[in-house]
Amino acid sequence: MTAHALSPQAREFIEGDHHLLIGGEWVRGRGADIPIENPASETVLTTIRAASTEQLDHAVAAARAALNGLWGRMNVRDRGLLLNRFSALIERDAGIIAEIMTAELGQTLASSRGVAGSLSPALFRYYAGWTDKITGEAFDPIVGADVQQFMGLTIREPIGVVGAIIPWNASPGMMGLKLAPSLAAGCAVVLKPAELAPLCASYFARLWQEAGGPPGSLNVVHGHGATIGAAMASHDGIDKITFTGSTAVGKAIVVAAAGNLKKVTLELGGKSPFIVFPDVDVEAVARTAASWCFVASGQACIAATRVFVHADIHDRFVEALGNHTRNLIVGDPTEPSTNLGPLVSAAQKQRVAGYIASAKAEGARMVCGDEPVPAVGHYVRPAVFTEVDPAMRIAREEIFGPVMSVIRFDDEQRMLDTVNDTPFGLSGSVWTRDLERALRVARRIDAGQIGVNVHGPMSPQTPFGGNKQSGWGREFARNGLEEFLKIKAITIRIGDRP
Ligand code: NAP
Ligand code: MG
């Protein structure tokens, strides 16, 4: 995509200043310059300035001051109204946000519109509705001999200052998952977007100001993970880190968080199974498997990267998959006909190429994926491999690119053993018309979210998160809100005083 393909509003925003938002003020970053590339044109869109660690300290202090000030005293109705206004502003500007997202990330405009115009505002509206429904309980504690002497109460309080660290993929959705429940809970937030794609976060900061967010309630700092991200993870002034990204960085955050034992929620990698039994419409399910493996050019944590196909339909399925995938259009993400845009960076493209080479070297059969790609832009053709042994690297590691492993099975139990033989446990789906089988298999997959004849549904009401090394905690739904609340128990003597 070339810069002149952008609307005037999107271009003006991208080429403008991307200051930090600290305590309600726009502050020029004093850290390194970070050029932001358009991965489709390989041109520099703009340059942002990272925060210094001293500026991070200011942001954390501003968040603390907000908790102790206007933001902390705002009543729950007004907090809900604020989040609803913010949601409406995201909806108003969804077209611009989608353009920015496509420009910095390379994801197709159609899918950017889905994230910016639908998922993200829906999350803010959903959590706006929770603000005035955060309640505790009353109970009869048994203290000593007499139950009647005491009364117990629990109250739910905001967990405090939250550090939110997000990856580059689907950042308006990621911000919905981090900011909506934490702000609804009454926390004050310091957000650090990924340096590869920070512009949507910069836009959200502007909208939060427009919505009337009190100073310090949301602070946005730019900067690299190794410096600013790591400083957040170890910061004594931060009470909780909510993180989405790779499993390796998740582990580093847990170690860094030990200093003040801050609470941590992690949404990490996946290697999600897509399990196909013989009683399905083979062609239709093959197309669906492709769409869920190659979503966002495979740069999605829930991507259906391991496709288990029953031996009875395996060859027909693979043929349909190959025919469909070879016809997918890889190119300019702003073209409505494009199915897959570029990967986010040259490094990511190189990483994926390494996996494709390893699959070939390990003896997997490439059904498609060798066709040419545009010369400029970080493009990769969607690749389908069959005869994949579950021990091969492409079947075990998260690739974060458009590479599918098809694994043949005939025995249900052995297939499930293979499905679960992974450090990941994020998502998965089972495809069959036999409801008993669907539920039996769904219960045996060790993952946080299973679809039956649907893959990776993202709804505000549906809890989402990983088992095993795919994460800690849950996002979406009431569960996502609970991650930002702490319970205080109060016991009151109501009978005779001692
Ligand atoms: P990443 O390298 O883990 O980065 C994620 C974020 O963490 C970025 O903002 C990054 O900063 C920051 N970071 C890097 N090192 C850090 C450190 N030592 N301390 C604190 N923060 C640090 O992940 P990515 O490559 O950007 O994104 C792809 C990964 O995210 C994949 O593995 C994918 O599965 C995972 N993901 C998971 C989900 C989910 O919901 N489970 C969703 C989407 C993506 P900079 O990049 O700016 O340096
Ligand atoms: Mg990174």
Side-chain angles (χ1 to χ4, degrees):
M1 185 169 89
T2 45
H4 60 256
L6 290 164
S7 68
Q9 295 98 314
R11 186 172 19 170
E12 192 189 326
F13 176 79
I14 289 172
E15 291 170 0
D17 287 332
H18 298 281
H19 289 329
L20 317 174
L21 177 62
I22 298 178
E25 306 283 341
W26 299 107
V27 184
R28 189 177 160 78
R30 287 201 292 265
D33 277 346
I34 304 178
I36 308 302
E37 185 202 39
N38 178 333
S41 62
E42 299 186 41
T43 55
V44 173
L45 284 163
T46 187
T47 298
I48 62 164
R49 291 285 297 272
S52 64
T53 49
E54 195 190 10
Q55 288 178 311
L56 171 66
D57 292 342
H58 295 166
V60 173
R64 183 68 60 193
L67 280 178
N68 295 329
L70 210 58
W71 174 239
R73 287 197 302 273
M74 182 182 271
N75 80 39
V76 293
R77 182 202 54 197
D78 291 343
R79 210 197 285 160
L81 290 171
L82 169 62
L83 284 170
N84 271 321
R85 281 200 301 281
F86 189 57
S87 169
L89 292 176
I90 297 168
E91 242 160 11
R92 182 197 70 188
D93 291 357
I96 302 170
I97 299 167
E99 281 188 81
I100 297 167
M101 182 173 161
T102 290
E104 67 178 347
L105 184 64
Q107 190 170 328
T108 62
L109 201 46
S111 65
S112 295
R113 286 196 184 113
V115 174
S118 174
L119 179 64
S120 186
L123 282 163
F124 283 97
R125 195 173 310 108
Y126 172 82
Y127 283 108
W130 269 112
T131 51
D132 57 1
K133 295 166 195 72
I134 299 171
T135 57
E137 292 176 331
F139 58 96
D140 292 330
I142 303 174
V143 181
D146 192 350
V147 173
Q148 305 297 324
Q149 292 279 326
F150 295 92
M151 189 179 157
L153 291 178
T154 55
I155 55 175
R156 301 180 115 77
E157 301 174 315
I159 208 161
V161 173
V162 169
I165 303 175
I166 60 170
W168 35 266
N169 59 330
S171 68
M174 296 293 163
M175 287 187 282
L177 291 175
K178 307 302 186 205
L179 308 184
S182 57
L183 293 167
C187 297
V189 182
V190 178
L191 168 72
K192 189 205 91 66
E195 102 279 355
L196 280 172
L199 300 177
C200 288
S202 189
Y203 201 91
F204 271 48
R206 183 193 271 202
L207 291 184
W208 184 249
Q209 291 293 88
E210 185 180 344
S217 50
L218 172 64
N219 305 275
V220 178
V221 294
H222 297 293
H224 290 276
T227 50
I228 292 300
M232 288 170 72
S234 63
H235 205 292
D236 282 342
I238 292 181
D239 301 301
K240 159 121 195 173
I241 292 282
T242 174
F243 171 77
T244 295
S246 60
T247 295
V249 172
K251 289 179 183 180
I253 286 174
V254 168
V255 172
N260 69 341
L261 285 179
K262 61 175 64 65
K263 311 301 176 266
V264 179
T265 297
L266 303 171
E267 297 287 352
L268 308 174
K271 196 71 191 173
S272 298
F274 184 107
I275 302 165
V276 191
F277 284 95
D279 62 334
V280 298
D281 177 339
V282 172
E283 279 73 24
V285 175
R287 283 194 300 275
T288 306
S291 68
W292 278 106
C293 184
F294 306 137
V295 58
S297 300
Q299 301 167 116
C301 50
I302 55 168
T305 48
R306 294 187 299 156
V307 178
F308 292 83
V309 184
H310 194 278
D312 289 356
I313 53 162
H314 177 273
D315 293 354
R316 233 168 12 107
F317 188 94
V318 168
E319 195 188 336
L321 192 59
N323 291 339
H324 172 71
T325 304
R326 271 185 289 269
N327 287 323
L328 292 176
I329 298 172
V330 175
D332 184 342
T334 63
E335 282 292 335
S337 58
T338 295
N339 301 108
L340 284 83
L343 300 190
V344 69
S345 64
Q348 193 69 8
K349 174 173 174 165
Q350 206 177 0
R351 203 175 109 89
V352 173
Y355 278 106
I356 290 174
S358 85
K360 290 177 181 168
E362 290 184 277
R365 186 174 80 81
M366 192 177 212
V367 176
C368 57
D370 261 345
E371 307 84 0
V373 289
V376 174
H378 310 306
Y379 293 101
V380 176
R381 284 291 315 177
V384 174
F385 285 95
T386 58
E387 312 308 327
V388 175
D389 187 286
M392 291 178 187
R393 277 184 65 209
I394 54 160
R396 301 203 66 79
E397 297 174 23
E398 184 177 55
I399 299 173
F400 236 55
V403 183
M404 183 192 290
S405 296
V406 178
I407 300 168
R408 187 198 309 255
F409 77 91
D410 48 23
D411 179 80
E412 185 179 302
Q413 188 53 50
R414 277 209 301 277
M415 175 271 292
L416 281 166
D417 290 343
T418 309
V419 162
N420 289 327
D421 179 21
T422 163
F424 298 112
L426 187 60
S427 191
S429 58
V430 47
W431 298 77
T432 176
R433 293 189 172 124
D434 178 341
L435 188 61
E436 272 179 45
R437 174 159 66 192
L439 292 179
R440 185 172 66 234
V441 170
R443 287 188 68 150
R444 290 182 187 165
I445 300 171
D446 190 355
Q449 188 197 43
I450 308 294
V452 173
N453 298 321
V454 61
H455 189 90
M458 291 280 165
S459 100
Q461 295 79 6
T462 310
F464 177 82
N467 296 351
K468 298 191 273 185
Q469 294 187 35
S470 286
W472 279 357
R474 291 292 180 266
E475 295 191 310
F476 289 90
R478 184 184 186 140
N479 311 74
L481 180 76
E482 297 286 348
E483 301 278 341
F484 297 103
L485 294 168
K486 57 189 176 192
I487 292 177
K488 178 178 286 168
I490 300 177
T491 305
I492 308 154
R493 186 187 293 274
I494 55 173
D496 297 337
R497 286 170 205 278

